Amino acid sequence: MDKVLSFHQGHLPLLISMPHAGLRLSDAVRDGLVESARSLPDTDWHIPQLYDFAQELGASVVAAEYSRFVIDLNRPDDDKPLYAGATTGLYPATLFEGEPLFKEGRAPSAEQRKQYLEQIWRPYHDTIRRELARLREQFGYALLWDAHSIRSLIPHLFDGKLPDFNLGTFNGASCDPALAERLQGVCAQAQGYSHVLNGRFKGGHITRHYGDPANHIHAVQLELAQSTYMEETEPFAYRADLAQPTQQVLQRLLQACLEWAEERYAGSSDKTVNS
């Protein structure tokens, strides 16, 4: 495969992951998609643009180049389901609305999907693993922010309208509860926005797999309602008027992560933190 991800290394103990922002397709996937899937409606649209302040902040950033329709980077490589209800797998077969993703008999072959796993999925996860290890070695701890977005109304996946900010910590297993509480406080102070912790979206594979608070790696997933920054129907246009105040909340959330970690680990010796 050609370029499968973009990566920027920052100078703060924070890595932002964007696994569903990619738009590229393999030939087999492009040729097999049903007509309604060709606009890539289930993309986490404009996430790199929405977080364009992250590099200036000093965070490391890794973003997918390929669409989740090729392979879903937020699913485990064994494709074990993450949610009890309706969901999509490592190799999505349906759109979020439950309709088939591929024309009959036109899904990629098992051999092609094995290639996607080795040449797209693994490099992304190798990048996360290496960067978290580097941050923990340098700072004694690491913060992982898994950045997502989704349409606010998808009856096949969840009832009613989704809250604006959906924080996921795998029911408290992926980060220190005090960090989750700090983030909830930021959301509560954000006028005009709703939020929930560990609601319909508790964190996917990235949050669950890499979050390890006992070893000083704290992971949080944010599933952001797309109505907070864009048009949710084609052509899925970015709305700067909506995005600007939403970006301000995102910046406060990331700053809260960093401030909490500085307080949590202040005065800790390298020996204590790295134990």
Side-chain angles (χ1 to χ4, degrees), residues 21-170:
L23 298 174
R24 302 185 71 173
L25 298 171
S26 68
D27 290 343
V29 170
R30 181 184 299 106
D31 293 344
L33 289 177
V34 298
E35 188 61 33
S36 58
R38 292 189 174 278
S39 63
L40 309 183
D42 298 345
T43 300
D44 290 13
W45 290 101
H46 311 297
I47 286 294
Q49 183 176 359
L50 190 65
Y51 283 83
D52 63 5
F53 61 88
Q55 292 187 22
E56 184 177 349
L57 177 68
S60 296
V61 180
V62 58
E65 292 284 338
Y66 275 84
S67 168
R68 68 187 302 164
F69 287 171
V70 178
I71 188 168
D72 193 329
L73 303 177
N74 202 29
R75 298 293 184 268
D77 58 1
D78 63 3
D79 204 14
K80 183 177 180 180
L82 295 177
Y83 293 98
T87 187
T88 54
L90 179 66
Y91 305 107
T94 62
L95 292 162
F96 283 169
E97 299 290 359
E99 303 166 358
L101 182 60
F102 294 102
K103 303 169 189 172
E104 188 173 354
R106 298 295 301 277
S109 67
E111 185 60 32
Q112 288 167 326
R113 285 176 164 172
K114 181 179 179 181
Q115 181 184 25
Y116 304 156
L117 180 68
E118 295 301 323
Q119 298 186 17
I120 301 175
W121 190 96
R122 295 209 188 283
Y124 193 88
H125 284 268
D126 287 346
T127 301
I128 292 178
R129 177 178 49 79
R130 286 194 300 266
E131 183 62 4
L132 290 176
R134 183 189 73 84
L135 294 177
R136 189 178 180 279
E137 177 66 24
Q138 179 177 346
F139 296 97
Y141 61 91
L143 302 169
L144 173 61
W145 186 267
D146 207 36
H148 296 260
S149 73
I150 194 169
R151 296 193 304 277
S152 60
L153 290 166
I154 305 181
H156 183 66
L157 294 184
F158 50 82
D159 296 331
K161 190 174 187 294
L162 198 67
D164 297 321
F165 287 81
N166 299 267
L167 298 166
T169 66
F170 194 26

Side-chain angles (χ1 to χ4, degrees), residues 41 43-47 50 149-152 224-243 246:
T43 300
D44 290 13
W45 290 101
H46 311 297
I47 286 294
L50 190 65
S149 73
I150 194 169
R151 296 193 304 277
S152 60
L224 185 65
Q226 291 178 343
S227 57
T228 63
Y229 72 94
M230 60 172 279
E231 295 293 343
E232 295 189 306
T233 56
E234 289 188 53
F236 309 115
Y238 188 81
R239 288 273 306 275
D241 58 322
L242 297 176
T246 301

Side-chain angles (χ1 to χ4, degrees), residues 205-251:
H205 174 67
I206 290 171
T207 306
R208 302 180 192 199
H209 182 71
Y210 295 103
D212 187 5
N215 287 304
H216 315 292
I217 298 177
H218 304 272
V220 176
Q221 175 179 294
L222 176 62
E223 191 78 60
L224 185 65
Q226 291 178 343
S227 57
T228 63
Y229 72 94
M230 60 172 279
E231 295 293 343
E232 295 189 306
T233 56
E234 289 188 53
F236 309 115
Y238 188 81
R239 288 273 306 275
D241 58 322
L242 297 176
Q244 185 175 4
T246 301
Q247 283 183 309
Q248 293 174 1
V249 181
L250 292 174
Q251 291 182 58

